[in-house]
Structures are given as structure tokens and as C-alpha cells.
Amino acid sequence: MRYIGPLVAFLLTYCVSAPAAAQTFGPSIQGLCLLSRSGAISGSRAGQSLQVQLRQMQASLSGDLARQRATIDQQRRTLAGRQNAIAPIEYQRQRAALDQQAQALEQQHNARFIAAQQRGQQQIDRVLNEALARVITRTACGVVLERDHAYGWNNAMDITPSVSREMDGLLASVSLQ
């Protein structure tokens, strides 16, 4: 009886520290397929290419915007230095024009980024749809459900990796221009 306490403690410690095995939720159901749209996109080279290019574009646009804002800020400081030398109404008009110019620059940069993002996403969506159609046909899926909204699943029904591989064969990188 004395040895049972340490043995139980050892077994409990072992069970708690042992990695949990992946749980499979029942048998695979023929014709029922699961897809993680975001997983397929992020797992594809085209999706990864889009993310890299968008990060680079955002950094470039942010740098451009910062340089242009610095120019406008310098113009604001110059205007503030001359505030006592010009009529108040003229000062307000020039200040409003600089503020409007700064706002327009930011809107232009945002519009360029959003347009590029949409062009890239359209390419991804087109390739995803084509890849998905091929995998659905090959796998004989009668129903495809979004995997990300399922509590659990049998991995044999998950077509996400197959769709990512199919996308890689169709498009390796995205062009934002």
C-alpha cells in the first residue's frame, strides 16, 4: 500500500506532461469534405506572396507618406512663423489648405493600398476557386463545409492541404501591379 501513492503520483505526472494525441472525431464520412479557406490561402505560395508584397507596399507607402507629411509640417511651421505678418483670414485659409493637402495625401496612399490589396485578393480568389473545383472533383465531395467553424473533424475529410497544393500549381506568386 505504501508504494501505491508514489506510483499514482508518477502516473498522474506522466499523463499530465505527456503530449495529447490528436483527437479524431469519428470515422471519415464519404462525400463530406472540410476546407479552411484562410488556411488554404495562407498555406499557398500565392497567399504567402500576397502577404509579403502587401507588407512591403505598406512599408513603402508609409515611408512616402512620412516624407510628404514632413514637407507639409515644415510648411506649417513656416506659416506659423509668418502668422503675425499676414492677415488672420489668410493664415486660416493657408492653414486649411495645408491640412486638406495632408488629408488628401493620406487618402491617396490608403486608396493605392486598398486597390492593390483587392487586385491581389481577386487573383487569390480566382485560383482558390479553380483549385477547389479540381480537388472537389478529384475527392468526390458532395458537401464542403468551412472547417474553421467546426468543433472537431476527422482529418481524412480535410481537403485544405490539397487545395493549397493545387493553388501552388496554378499560381506561385501574386502581382499587385
Side-chain angles (χ1 to χ4, degrees):
M1 290 300 268
R2 189 191 271 179
Y3 296 105
I4 293 180
L7 179 62
V8 169
F10 170 76
L11 289 174
L12 285 174
T13 303
Y14 176 77
C15 290
V16 169
S17 64
Q23 185 173 0
T24 299
F25 285 74
S28 177
I29 300 170
Q30 191 71 23
L32 179 63
C33 300
L34 299 168
L35 171 75
S36 169
R37 183 181 188 283
S38 61
I41 291 170
S42 66
S44 71
R45 287 183 292 194
Q48 294 164 7
S49 166
L50 176 63
Q51 291 306 311
V52 167
Q53 289 183 55
L54 287 175
R55 279 193 297 272
Q56 290 170 344
M57 182 179 199
Q58 187 166 27
S60 174
L61 288 173
S62 293
D64 289 346
L65 185 59
R67 285 188 292 282
Q68 292 171 335
R69 276 187 188 153
T71 301
I72 292 172
D73 288 343
Q74 179 58 44
Q75 292 172 349
R76 283 181 181 146
R77 286 190 292 278
T78 302
L79 179 62
R82 298 181 342 182
Q83 182 175 3
N84 293 334
I86 59 176
I89 191 93
E90 182 60 22
Y91 172 79
Q92 291 298 325
R93 186 192 64 75
Q94 289 181 20
R95 176 67 189 217
L98 289 172
D99 291 346
Q100 189 175 26
Q101 186 180 1
Q103 186 178 14
L105 282 172
E106 192 162 331
Q107 288 173 347
Q108 287 171 351
H109 282 79
N110 287 341
R112 285 178 54 199
F113 182 79
I114 289 170
Q117 186 178 33
Q118 287 174 340
R119 283 191 302 274
Q121 193 61 50
Q122 286 170 349
Q123 293 172 57
I124 294 289
D125 289 343
R126 180 183 49 77
V127 170
L128 174 65
N129 289 337
E130 188 175 338
L132 185 57
R134 289 180 182 186
V135 172
I136 286 171
T137 301
R138 192 170 49 240
T139 312
C141 298
V143 175
V144 178
L145 300 175
E146 175 60 55
R147 184 193 78 190
D148 295 340
H149 300 294
Y151 177 71
W153 58 87
N154 183 315
N155 286 331
M157 299 182 325
D158 187 3
I159 61 172
T160 304
S162 298
V163 172
S164 290
R165 283 190 302 276
E166 193 70 36
M167 287 176 70
D168 287 346
L170 295 170
L171 181 68
S173 68
V174 172
S175 173
L176 297 181
Q177 276 42 324

